[in-house]
Amino acid sequence: MAFSVEQCNERLQMWLDAEGAIATGQSYTIDNRRLDRANLAQVREQIKFWQKELTKAESVSNGRSRRRTVRIVPRDL
């Protein structure tokens, strides 16, 4: 799926903000009940994903794609 650079930046910033919110208070306890906000490992996976997508989108927008065409000529020796 192809994302634009702006979409990648927005989503990456959203996940970075989420990581910051989790870091300041991932869980809290009231009486004997405990509430967890989110799984930090999953958030970090999403950050890595969006960083990769941002790199891909930037390379495409700069005209430099990772895909290359290679021509192979089979020979019978």
Side-chain angles (χ1 to χ4, degrees):
M1 184 174 218
F3 296 101
S4 68
V5 175
E6 295 80 21
Q7 289 173 327
C8 291
N9 279 326
E10 288 173 11
R11 302 262 168 72
L12 178 59
Q13 188 58 47
M14 180 178 63
W15 284 104
L16 289 172
D17 293 342
E19 182 184 35
I22 292 169
T24 59
Q26 184 172 355
S27 65
Y28 61 92
T29 305
I30 300 174
D31 293 332
N32 60 352
R33 295 172 52 191
R34 180 178 174 175
L35 176 67
D36 292 323
R37 284 191 182 183
N39 186 348
L40 188 57
Q42 289 176 339
V43 172
R44 288 191 175 152
E45 287 177 21
Q46 287 294 315
I47 290 172
K48 289 178 186 177
F49 171 79
W50 285 108
Q51 286 172 338
K52 288 179 185 176
E53 288 296 317
L54 178 61
T55 303
K56 289 179 191 176
E58 287 174 342
S59 66
V60 169
S61 69
N62 291 336
R64 297 168 53 200
S65 178
R66 292 186 67 189
R67 295 182 183 186
R68 295 184 183 200
T69 304
V70 178
R71 187 170 131 185
I72 299 173
V73 179
R75 289 203 227 169
D76 189 19
L77 297 176

